[in-house]
Amino acid sequence: MARRRGIMSDQLKEEIAKELGFYDTVQKEGWGGIKARDAGNIVKRAIQLAEEQLANQQKH
């Protein structure tokens, strides 16, 4: 079974994890070590960032 490539870059996920305060867990245990809530918060924050970027593009 082919592994599906994620839409978010690892760099973006790492930046968001740092911002949300659980990057240390990612470093110690990998992405599998984070809580489902934290994974959901990464997605929410990524959507928020994308919406902000889109809104800024539409202003110009």
Side-chain angles (χ1 to χ4, degrees), residues 27-45:
Q27 286 185 305
K28 290 177 193 168
E29 302 176 31
W31 290 106
I34 66 172
K35 297 176 182 147
R37 176 184 287 167
D38 291 335
N41 287 336
I42 287 176
V43 174
K44 286 180 192 174
R45 182 65 179 135

Side-chain angles (χ1 to χ4, degrees), residues 12 16 42-60:
L12 177 60
I16 294 172
I42 287 176
V43 174
K44 286 180 192 174
R45 182 65 179 135
I47 291 169
Q48 184 180 35
L49 291 170
E51 288 173 342
E52 289 171 6
Q53 188 175 32
L54 186 61
N56 286 336
Q57 287 176 355
Q58 290 175 347
K59 288 180 186 176
H60 299 285

Side-chain angles (χ1 to χ4, degrees), residues 12-29:
L12 177 60
K13 289 190 289 189
E14 289 171 5
E15 287 176 21
I16 294 172
K18 288 174 186 175
E19 179 182 328
L20 298 177
F22 53 85
Y23 185 66
D24 56 332
T25 302
V26 173
Q27 286 185 305
K28 290 177 193 168
E29 302 176 31

